[in-house]
Amino acid sequence: ATAAATDNWGAIQAAINYVGDALAGGTVVIDGGYKVAQELFLTTPLVRITGLGSRWASIYTTTPNHNVIKFAAARCQVNNLSVFSYIRSTVASAPIAFVNGAVQCTVDDCDVVGGFYSIAVVGTGATDNHINNSVFRAAIGGAVCYIQGGGAIFFDRCLFNQDWPVTTPAVNGSQDGGNWASGQSYAT
């Protein structure tokens, strides 16, 4: 894969498929920032995507309305990675998504930014997943974390930060997202 503005989906997805299919599980190491124009699918158990170094590596998209990393297999992991979407999505999509088949998966030490939701768990077959020491923020839709029909999902030492209200508060007549008010109800 190459860093910066080039679409690296093919190279990263090929590495994910290789460690999953040929090696029956393994680690794809990301060092630097990589753009993907399509969803990365974790469809084989025991695949790990990990960022290298003391600064988080990143996988990002500028393509609207799709997930960045989709968990669809057991015991997959993403750690030490920044996963984000630059484009405001208008349909249910997320930088991190768990769907049927995602069982006992882990997200550790990640910074997850943007999307319609920052994290989505959809389907009764997505269960017993663990998210640890991660930050989820700046979702455009109705929630930072969206769970519909998913089984058990465990969050430990995570921060969910909607950087602005989903609906514009009627405070001082301003539409500034930083205009929070005591006693004002927000849908975050």
Side-chain angles (χ1 to χ4, degrees), residues 54-158:
S54 61
R55 293 183 172 215
W56 284 340
S58 63
I59 296 177
Y60 68 94
T61 187
T62 57
T63 306
N65 301 327
H66 73 78
N67 306 307
V68 179
I69 299 174
K70 184 183 280 186
F71 288 81
R75 295 186 258 352
C76 292
Q77 297 180 17
V78 171
N79 60 359
N80 197 36
L81 197 63
S82 181
V83 182
F84 57 96
S85 174
Y86 279 130
I87 301 295
R88 291 185 175 190
S89 297
T90 57
V91 299
S93 59
I96 299 284
F98 294 90
V99 298
N100 287 330
V103 177
Q104 297 178 344
C105 296
T106 306
V107 173
D108 278 320
D109 299 314
C110 289
D111 182 33
V112 183
V113 182
F116 195 78
Y117 308 114
S118 291
I119 183 169
V121 182
V122 181
T124 57
T127 189
D128 196 20
N129 295 299
H130 297 259
I131 293 85
N132 309 304
N133 305 309
S134 296
V135 176
F136 300 90
R137 57 193 169 96
I140 302 302
V144 173
C145 177
Y146 178 76
I147 302 173
Q148 180 183 29
I153 185 163
F154 302 94
F155 294 94
D156 183 37
R157 301 186 58 82
C158 292

Side-chain angles (χ1 to χ4, degrees), residues 159-175:
L159 173 65
F160 297 91
N161 187 7
Q162 186 70 355
D163 294 336
W164 57 85
V166 173
T167 57
T168 305
V171 179
N172 299 331
S174 173
Q175 293 188 21

